[in-house]
Amino acid sequence: MGFPRINRVHATQLSEEKDINYYLDSGIFPGDEAEVDIPYAPEIQEELQSEEELFQGEFQEFQGEEELFQGEYQEEYEDQDMESGGFQGEEEEEFQEDQDQYMEPGGFQGEDEDVDMVSDSEIYDLEDEIADVLDDLTLDTDDDSDEEQREEEERNHPTVPLVGDSDPDDPPSPTGSLGRTTVGVELEFLVAAALENGVPDAHPNDNRGLLVGAEAYGDENPMFQITIRNAIVDALRFYGLTAVKGESPHIYLGATSNFGWSSRLDDKVDNSNNLDSLGTWVGDYTWNPSMSQDGNVDAGTNRLLEQFIQFHVSHGLSFRRTTESVLWAIAKKIASIFIRNADVGAMPKFMSIWVDRAKGAVALQAAQEIARADIQVDPNAVLLEGADPRYRAWTCTREESFAAETATPAHYDLHNYVSPPGSKPPAPPSEYKWFSGEVISPILDFAHKDTYPAIERACTAIRDSFRVHKPMSVIGTGFHVHFGQEAGWTLLHLKKFTTLWLLLEEAIEKLHRRDRSDPAHMYSQSLRENSKLARNILVPSGGPAARSTVGNREPAKAAFYLARAHEHVPFQLAQINEYMQSLITEVWQYENIDDLNRGMTVHRGYGHIKYRLSGNTRTGSPHIGLFGPVLQTLEIRIMQGTLDSEHIWRWMCICHQMILFSRDATPRQFRDGLADMITSIRYPRDVLDIPANMLEWFQLRMNKATGYFEYLDRDRVSWSVPFMTRGGKNVYF
């Protein structure tokens, strides 16, 4: 069996199911038509048609266990003294993976099989459960005298008068801007691409193919990496996405005459060439008797080469099929021009010069031909002035931040694994050659009806075609989403969003796997603790210089910024401690976006959010800055890697609502919203206009002892079924 060449039947079914009218006919969750204006995916809408049904069906025990909540699952979390970290090295019995017996009758699978339900008396009261998770999304509460505190704050910090009825931090939108929220996703994943030399297939029943004949190539070999990369791009294309190949910044391909950026090691040998088509070409050069023989050879070679290139263009011939053997054959033919006009001795010299020059010219034309083939634009791409052309279509590259080698056999559940005949005891993950991949979307309009379907198709294409490792903290893949504002981010918008994020960050961390907020995780660190501004406040004598200096230069302006902060933030509430007050106050002292960007940059590594922004009080167009591309986006990096499109979309919708609330809320609405969330007067879902079932989905997947999101295998992937299932949704079933 060769490397994957796509399940064509499934691809056809997918395209039929996702007819555009299907998405036009239903745009939001049932019952939310009057309240929500985001185009949530229809598949996600169907999940919560019955909240109770989802709650009952979500956690059915594998292998027919019927009493999940009062049985093993609940007891393990409530009665067992968990080790610090709660993920690796646990001795408790792990969930057993069984794809055939787990169903979600109210959820994503859409299957009709009967599933045994626990009785009503054994199910938590749904409203209490919802309240518990939403309590987790607020800070500690103290409801006493909240209204009195608000009134006192308003007396002490009245609304700030703005000179000329304008806000210096909120300049007007540029003329002609559509005001769209743009989005781009980065999907990180680990693919079992080929077998190690002499090692039998550890999962022979998985018919998603492997690269055959790659035993001689190490997984660091650029030709191996380009082959896998190009196979992934081919899969994306087959599933209807506009995807390109081209050069990859993380694959180091040296000069080679036989292998390029569009090549694959498993390509069929194509011996066809342009010799027959070029047989009709006759060059034209008139020997100049006033020139020497060498001069005529030089001039004649150049003249004939120009004609040769033009003949290819005029007749639609691919330069990639004009091989060196073709050039030598053509050289013998056109050398007759010189035989008639010069000594026979000039013929070998001409032929040698011709072939050398023609090889270079043809290679250049072939490279440009490949480049032109990859200059494609996704029909739904948002074309921003100054944006990198790479973000006009789907692409794939190698990602260097994670690797299979960080996992050992101790990280896997080996209890139910049966080794193939003749193989050695399992030693995962060393049985395979792995490819660390990242698929990158074009710049898309978040609200466009085709944005979610495109993400689902990308996830489906990869999982249908390749053996993709299930999520695992020790491997450390991530999901990154870039949010942009077509009209530009304003300084006021960013101050409000940063304030909202800092206040909710600790609760937001619980929506994701615990390792994503581990202080040692260099690719996803807390802004409230590890941003340069935070370090400067926590370690005044040794932290990086990150505070605004406006107070030293312009005290009146600093006072204005302080008043604006109090207009937007309920500092009087006891739940906002002294440190958080200092941190947020300093955020509001920034005079421009460049300074805010530096303050929110993590001192070492990457934060939960990477501020990829530049500007004064409004960001401009994307461009290449002094230290690299300035994308003019907020890159939210906190989520672990997955190819579950519904999980991805839920998180994107939550982020989107935070961005919209920060942008559109008036000072009073923003301040009251923060106060209501902090004091539990209103839940975040109500303040931010997030459908309740979005947060419930995360709650139902939380470890009840740690409070963090957790997959059903508890971060111990079974080596019996280590790969994501086919499809674009739940990666386990």
Side-chain angles (χ1 to χ4, degrees), residues 320-460:
R320 286 175 285 179
R321 294 182 181 276
T322 300
T323 61
E324 185 173 344
S325 63
V326 171
L327 296 178
W328 279 107
I330 296 297
K332 293 178 182 178
K333 175 182 175 182
I334 61 177
S336 60
I337 296 174
F338 296 94
I339 294 175
R340 292 196 304 269
N341 295 285
D343 295 338
V344 175
M347 185 170 139
K349 189 172 187 178
F350 163 78
M351 292 175 61
S352 177
I353 293 175
W354 160 265
V355 171
D356 285 345
R357 293 182 182 178
K359 282 171 59 178
V362 168
L364 177 61
Q365 293 294 327
Q368 293 176 351
E369 185 179 284
I370 293 172
R372 285 192 296 271
D374 274 329
I375 300 177
Q376 301 181 55
V377 178
D378 189 290
N380 295 323
V382 177
L383 304 181
L384 300 177
E385 180 182 355
D388 193 319
R390 291 179 300 173
Y391 300 128
R392 296 179 178 179
W394 291 81
T395 59
C396 179
T397 187
R398 173 178 175 247
E399 175 54 48
E400 299 177 313
S401 64
F402 61 91
E405 288 75 14
T406 56
T408 68
H411 292 106
Y412 293 87
D413 179 1
L414 304 176
H415 292 108
N416 298 316
Y417 177 73
V418 178
S419 300
S423 62
K424 297 179 180 179
S430 62
E431 283 89 339
Y432 296 102
K433 296 179 187 291
W434 298 87
F435 176 76
S436 301
E438 181 179 54
V439 162
I440 303 168
S441 78
I443 301 171
L444 300 170
D445 176 3
F446 181 87
H448 195 282
K449 66 182 184 303
D450 289 332
T451 296
Y452 170 75
I455 296 171
E456 183 192 1
R457 283 199 298 275
C459 294
T460 303

Side-chain angles (χ1 to χ4, degrees), residues 689-701:
D689 202 16
I690 300 171
N693 43 39
M694 284 287 180
L695 295 178
E696 285 177 34
W697 187 90
F698 288 92
Q699 153 66 10
L700 292 170
R701 289 156 179 81

Side-chain angles (χ1 to χ4, degrees), residues 63-119:
Q63 303 285 332
E65 295 180 357
E66 298 180 352
E67 298 183 352
L68 177 61
F69 288 105
Q70 81 271 10
E72 176 186 351
Y73 182 83
Q74 185 176 0
E75 291 174 3
E76 288 180 8
Y77 280 116
E78 294 182 352
D79 299 335
Q80 182 171 340
D81 184 17
M82 299 280 288
E83 298 179 3
S84 177
F87 285 80
Q88 301 175 10
E90 298 178 357
E91 300 298 331
E92 72 272 12
E93 181 179 351
E94 307 294 341
F95 282 109
Q96 182 177 357
E97 299 179 4
D98 188 332
Q99 301 179 39
D100 296 328
Q101 294 192 28
Y102 181 86
M103 298 295 166
E104 295 182 331
F108 298 143
Q109 305 303 316
E111 304 192 34
D112 297 327
E113 287 86 341
D114 292 332
V115 181
D116 292 335
M117 299 291 183
V118 295
S119 65

Side-chain angles (χ1 to χ4, degrees), residues 224-517:
F224 174 85
Q225 294 171 353
I226 291 173
T227 294
I228 311 305
R229 190 282 303 267
N230 289 344
I232 293 170
V233 171
D234 289 338
L236 295 173
R237 288 173 172 175
F238 187 80
Y239 276 71
L241 297 172
T242 303
V244 299
K245 297 175 181 177
E247 296 188 21
S248 173
H250 300 301
I251 300 177
Y252 311 102
L253 179 66
T256 173
S257 58
N258 300 318
F259 199 92
W261 289 105
S262 295
S263 303
R264 288 175 57 165
L265 290 171
D266 57 343
D267 282 338
K268 294 181 179 179
V269 177
D270 186 357
N271 294 318
S272 62
N273 56 46
N274 286 333
L275 184 59
D276 292 340
S277 300
L278 291 168
T280 60
W281 176 68
V282 178
D284 177 30
Y285 176 74
T286 302
W287 188 273
N288 187 346
S290 65
M291 294 174 59
S292 67
Q293 175 178 288
D294 287 348
N296 273 285
V297 168
D298 182 65
T301 301
N302 291 337
R303 171 66 178 161
L304 292 169
L305 188 54
E306 291 176 1
Q307 299 171 16
F308 186 66
I309 297 298
Q310 185 57 45
F311 187 87
H312 280 75
V313 176
S314 301
H315 291 76
L317 302 180
S318 171
F319 288 94
R320 286 175 285 179
R321 294 182 181 276
T322 300
T323 61
E324 185 173 344
S325 63
V326 171
L327 296 178
W328 279 107
I330 296 297
K332 293 178 182 178
K333 175 182 175 182
I334 61 177
S336 60
I337 296 174
F338 296 94
I339 294 175
R340 292 196 304 269
N341 295 285
D343 295 338
V344 175
M347 185 170 139
K349 189 172 187 178
F350 163 78
M351 292 175 61
S352 177
I353 293 175
W354 160 265
V355 171
D356 285 345
R357 293 182 182 178
K359 282 171 59 178
V362 168
L364 177 61
Q365 293 294 327
Q368 293 176 351
E369 185 179 284
I370 293 172
R372 285 192 296 271
D374 274 329
I375 300 177
Q376 301 181 55
V377 178
D378 189 290
N380 295 323
V382 177
L383 304 181
L384 300 177
E385 180 182 355
D388 193 319
R390 291 179 300 173
Y391 300 128
R392 296 179 178 179
W394 291 81
T395 59
C396 179
T397 187
R398 173 178 175 247
E399 175 54 48
E400 299 177 313
S401 64
F402 61 91
E405 288 75 14
T406 56
T408 68
H411 292 106
Y412 293 87
D413 179 1
L414 304 176
H415 292 108
N416 298 316
Y417 177 73
V418 178
S419 300
S423 62
K424 297 179 180 179
S430 62
E431 283 89 339
Y432 296 102
K433 296 179 187 291
W434 298 87
F435 176 76
S436 301
E438 181 179 54
V439 162
I440 303 168
S441 78
I443 301 171
L444 300 170
D445 176 3
F446 181 87
H448 195 282
K449 66 182 184 303
D450 289 332
T451 296
Y452 170 75
I455 296 171
E456 183 192 1
R457 283 199 298 275
C459 294
T460 303
I462 301 167
R463 287 167 52 184
D464 277 7
S465 308
F466 306 95
R467 303 183 188 184
V468 183
H469 201 293
K470 288 177 179 175
M472 199 175 191
S473 64
V474 70
I475 292 175
T477 60
F479 167 73
H480 306 157
V481 54
H482 290 254
F483 282 97
Q485 296 293 296
E486 189 175 15
W489 296 88
T490 69
L491 181 57
L492 178 62
H493 187 181
L494 291 169
K495 286 180 177 180
K496 290 163 68 180
F497 176 82
T498 302
T499 299
L500 177 63
W501 181 274
L502 291 173
L503 288 172
L504 294 183
E505 186 179 60
E506 186 174 1
I508 289 171
E509 290 174 342
K510 301 298 182 67
L511 300 179
H512 306 288
R513 199 173 55 204
R514 188 171 187 173
D515 64 289
R516 299 300 293 182
S517 53

